[in-house]
């Protein structure tokens, strides 16, 4: 199964940088919630992808949607955020360990030569015959053990052996044995039934669900950061544009004053003001240029462009328009908070953790019960080999082999039955009580975490709504201020041309226009980032940009 990001604005493109490959592992009695990931570890990290697709005219040309796509593909923090999901998936796989069948095979060979010390050893008087007791014993066994969801444990074992001796009292020599046994153990109190035996799997799956939800929340946060870095770079670029335009205006004023000075229409001391403004604005332009370079570098890191030397050397061309689409977006705090409680993945993650806590508490309570086990077994055996009489020396009566032992074994003519109860009653089960206490503390902790998350989300929503309203009002005011500042500049320049104005007022008007231009750009960028903050706070940011996490990593209980 696959969890993937995809963009409906990019037909045919599937963003697989954060793809989780998951293979179903099912236990019928346990149900299925989310399956465990089968991930092939890589010996090296993959190179950044898709960057060369956006190189146009020697520049890295990106819209906002392009930047989001590259963030999902190449951002290191996105990859790091996925690793807890992988680890939680392997924890689910590990939780199935008690139900893994176990096959054990063994074989042994023993030769024993000893001095006879009794006539019953069948070698005569050792001192007179100079004989020793010579015995060969060979054993082999194969056992299969399997645990089942109700707590039942089954063991099936087949064993066979061969013995060869020079003891004349043995009627069968060499003698071959075969044994087949079945043993069943069933807990009657502690660990009885489906719940206590499947609880570790369900807890692990709840943890996987929570990890996947937390991953979704982290992806939303990282996408918001990518959006903010994009707009920060745009703002820095626009700041440089405004600074360059301001420098051009100051240079034009200086050139006008210089001509006036050459013609004698301007006192020599009045040239210094316009010349000073040119120098100051050149400093502002240099600062804006390096602020743009710094913003570019920060944005390159977000989209992984710093990982490719060729791409890192390219200039950026960010094409997204800063102007807000009309009408401006409006949302009230109550509506935003309701959406947040419905869509924020952090709430789902905490719900999963609390469900896991409840399972842990019940499991800890079960472990306080006495351990009473019912055991039953059945054994069938057979023996075969060459048969001798009791004469001295022994005479072969009938040859035989292992097939005789197997025939007796499967005729079940020599059975052995056992049944029993084992009661383990701890006098003081401090470890069990401690485990129960820890489970309850963990549940209480997660309840407080849920309360804290509610408080955090409420504050996030309130801040995002207020920031949006502030940005909308700021845009309206900044447009008016920019228009008036432009008219003031034009008016002061006209006055100078008519001889009724001074350079001082022209330069002051230009400074005010520069500030107004910067304020308008800042207000527009603040509105764009406020929109992203609203979407993030309400948990709808991924949907807003058509990013979908396919929830095929498993089914919720």
């Amino acid at each position: 199964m696959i969890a993937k990001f995809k963009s409906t604005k990019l037909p045919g493109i599937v963003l697989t940088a954060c793809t989780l490959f998951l293979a179903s592992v099912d236990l019928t009695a346990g149900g299925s919630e989310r399956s465990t990931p089968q991930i092939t570890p890589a010996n090296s990290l993959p190179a950044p992808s898709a960057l060369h697709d956006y190189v146009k005219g020697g520049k890295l040309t990106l819209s906002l949607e392009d930047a989001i796509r590259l963030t999902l593909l190449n951002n290191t923090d996105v990859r790091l955020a996925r690793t807890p999901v992988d680890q939680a998936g392997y924890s689910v796989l590990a939780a199935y360990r008690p139900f893994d069948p176990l096959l054990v095979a063994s074989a042994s060979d023993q030769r024993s030569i000893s001095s006879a010390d009794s006539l019953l050893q069948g070698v005569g008087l050792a001192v007179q015959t100079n004989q020793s007791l010579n015995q060969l014993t060979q054993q082999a066994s194969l056992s299969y053990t399997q645990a089942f969801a109700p707590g039942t444990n089954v063991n099936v074992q087949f064993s066979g052996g061969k013995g060869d001796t020079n003891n004349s009292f043995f009627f069968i020599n060499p003698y071959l044995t075969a044994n087949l046994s079945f043993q069943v153990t069933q807990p009657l109190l502690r660990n009885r039934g489906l719940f206590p035996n499947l609880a570790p799997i369900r807890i692990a799956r709840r943890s996987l669900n929570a990890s996947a939800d937390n991953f979704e929340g982290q992806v939303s946060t990282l996408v918001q950061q990518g959006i903010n870095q994009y707009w920060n770079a745009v703002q820095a670029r626009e700041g440089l544009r405004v600074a360059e335009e301001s420098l051009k205006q100051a240079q034009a004023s200086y050139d006008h004053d210089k001509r006036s000075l050459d013609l004698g229409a301007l006192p020599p001391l009045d040239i210094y003001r316009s010349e000073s403004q040119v120098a100051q604005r050149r400093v502002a332009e240099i600062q804006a240029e390096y602020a743009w370079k710094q913003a570019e570098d920060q944005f390159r890191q977000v989209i992984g462009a710093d990982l490719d030397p060729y791409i890192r050397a390219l200039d950026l061309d960010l094409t997204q328009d800063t102007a807000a689409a009309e009408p401006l977006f409006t949302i009230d705090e109550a509506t935003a908070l309701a959406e947040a409680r419905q869509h924020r993945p952090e709430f789902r993650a905490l719900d999963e953790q609390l469900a896991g806590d409840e399972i842990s508490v019940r499991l800890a309570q079960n472990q306080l019960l006495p351990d009473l086990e019912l055991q039953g077994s059945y054994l069938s055996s057979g023996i075969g080999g060459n048969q001798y009489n009791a004469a001295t020396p022994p005479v072969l009566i009938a040859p035989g082999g292992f097939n005789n032992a197997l025939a007796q074994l499967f005729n079940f003519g020599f059975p052995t039955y056992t049944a029993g109860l084992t009661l383990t009653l701890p006098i003081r089960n401090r470890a069990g009580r401690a485990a129960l206490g820890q489970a309850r503390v963990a549940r209480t902790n997660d309840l407080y975490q849920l309360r804290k998350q509610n408080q955090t989300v409420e504050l996030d929503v309130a801040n995002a709504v207020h920031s949006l309203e502030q940005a909308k009002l700021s845009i309206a005011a900044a447009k008016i201020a920019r228009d008036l500042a432009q008219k003031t500049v034009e008016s002061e320049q006209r006055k100078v041309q008519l001889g009724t104005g001074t350079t001082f007022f022209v330069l002051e008007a230009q400074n005010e226009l520069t500030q107004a231009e910067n304020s308008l750009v800042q207000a527009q960028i603040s509105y764009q980032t406020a929109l992203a903050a609203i979407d993030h706070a309400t948990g709808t940011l991924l949907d807003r940009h058509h990013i979908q996490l396919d929830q095929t990593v498993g089914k919720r209980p």
Side-chain angles (χ1 to χ4, degrees), residues 24 38 61 85 96 123 157 178 221 230 250 270 315 389 393 431 446 448 450 458 487 513:
S24 176
Q38 303 295 322
T61 304
V85 184
Y96 282 88
V123 294
Q157 181 173 353
T221 299
Y230 183 93
D270 289 350
D315 291 333
N389 61 13
D446 286 340
Y448 278 111
L450 181 60
E458 288 176 2
K487 292 177 180 179
L513 177 59

Side-chain angles (χ1 to χ4, degrees), residues 55 98 141 196 206 285-286 356 416 423 467 540:
V55 177
S141 66
R206 293 287 185 178
E285 182 197 33
I286 293 171
T416 301
L423 176 62
S467 296
T540 58

Side-chain angles (χ1 to χ4, degrees), residues 11-27:
I13 297 177
V14 178
L15 308 187
T16 58
C18 300
T19 299
L20 303 180
F21 294 96
L22 300 159
S24 176
V25 178
D26 187 27
L27 186 66

Side-chain angles (χ1 to χ4, degrees), residues 209-513:
N209 293 351
S211 296
D213 291 325
N214 284 328
F215 174 58
E216 181 181 343
Q218 288 175 302
V219 169
S220 177
T221 299
L222 292 170
V223 168
Q224 184 195 18
Q225 292 175 0
I227 293 173
N228 290 343
Q229 289 294 343
Y230 183 93
W231 288 119
N232 286 344
V234 171
Q235 183 174 354
R237 181 197 65 191
E238 293 300 306
L240 175 60
R241 179 188 60 79
V242 171
E244 290 173 342
E245 182 63 29
S246 177
L247 177 59
K248 288 180 181 178
Q249 292 176 351
Q251 185 67 46
S253 296
Y254 171 75
D255 293 341
H256 177 272
D257 291 348
K258 187 71 169 59
R259 288 193 299 270
S260 298
L261 179 64
D262 294 339
L263 295 174
L266 186 70
L269 296 180
D270 289 350
I271 195 66
Y272 296 123
R273 181 178 297 278
S274 58
E275 188 174 7
S276 173
Q277 282 296 312
V278 171
Q280 291 178 18
R281 295 182 191 184
R282 183 172 289 112
V283 171
E285 182 197 33
I286 293 171
Q287 293 174 341
E289 180 180 0
Y290 279 90
W292 160 236
K293 291 181 181 296
Q294 185 178 23
E296 275 188 319
D297 291 338
Q298 293 173 345
F299 177 67
R300 285 191 181 95
Q301 186 181 48
V302 169
I303 62 175
D306 60 325
L307 302 174
D308 188 322
Y310 171 74
I311 298 295
R312 184 171 60 240
L314 297 179
D315 291 333
L316 291 178
D317 182 16
L318 307 182
T319 62
Q320 199 73 27
D321 189 6
T322 60
E326 297 289 345
L328 299 181
F329 181 73
T330 299
I331 189 171
D332 61 88
E333 190 172 336
T335 301
L337 186 57
E339 288 191 11
R341 287 174 175 159
Q342 179 181 359
H343 298 293
R344 284 288 287 261
E346 294 88 345
F347 288 124
R348 296 197 302 270
L350 285 170
D351 287 342
E352 293 289 349
Q353 291 180 13
L354 285 169
D357 292 338
E358 292 296 334
I359 297 174
S360 297
V361 170
R362 289 180 58 194
L363 179 60
Q365 290 172 336
N366 178 269
Q367 296 305 298
L368 292 176
L369 297 174
D371 188 7
L372 179 62
E373 291 185 341
L374 173 63
Q375 299 169 340
S377 65
Y378 174 84
L379 171 67
S380 178
S381 61
I383 188 169
N386 295 329
Q387 297 184 32
Y388 293 87
N389 61 13
T392 304
V395 178
L396 179 64
I397 300 174
F402 193 63
N403 58 324
N404 302 108
L406 291 177
Q408 291 183 13
L409 172 68
F410 290 108
N411 283 333
F412 302 102
F414 303 97
T416 301
Y417 306 90
T418 60
L421 286 172
T422 301
L423 176 62
T424 302
L425 185 62
I427 304 303
R428 299 183 66 183
N429 192 358
R430 284 178 283 195
R433 295 202 306 272
L436 176 59
Q438 290 171 347
R440 287 172 172 169
V441 169
R443 180 177 58 185
T444 302
N445 178 77
D446 286 340
L447 286 171
Y448 278 111
Q449 291 291 343
L450 181 60
R451 176 198 286 182
K452 182 179 179 181
Q453 186 64 45
N454 270 298
Q455 293 174 309
T456 300
V457 168
E458 288 176 2
L459 184 59
D460 287 346
V461 168
N463 289 338
V465 171
H466 296 161
S467 296
L468 181 65
E469 294 301 321
Q470 178 184 357
K472 289 162 59 179
L473 295 174
S474 297
I475 287 175
K479 285 181 178 179
I480 296 174
R482 191 271 314 272
D483 293 341
L484 292 176
Q486 181 65 44
K487 292 177 180 179
T488 301
V489 169
E490 294 172 355
S491 174
E492 294 299 334
Q493 289 175 341
R494 183 62 178 163
K495 289 180 182 178
V496 170
Q497 292 173 357
L498 297 175
T500 60
T502 64
T503 301
F504 173 82
F505 291 110
V506 172
L507 296 175
E508 285 296 315
Q510 290 175 353
N511 285 330
E512 292 175 359
L513 177 59

Side-chain angles (χ1 to χ4, degrees), residues 2-8 13-16 18-19 68 72 215-216 219 223 541-552:
I2 303 175
K4 57 194 174 188
F5 298 100
K6 59 184 179 182
S7 174
T8 57
I13 297 177
V14 178
L15 308 187
T16 58
C18 300
T19 299
I68 292 174
L72 295 172
F215 174 58
E216 181 181 343
V219 169
V223 168
L541 181 62
L542 301 185
D543 290 338
R544 177 79 64 183
H545 293 280
H546 310 287
I547 302 168
Q548 180 180 352
L549 276 75
D550 288 350
Q551 295 296 340
T552 53

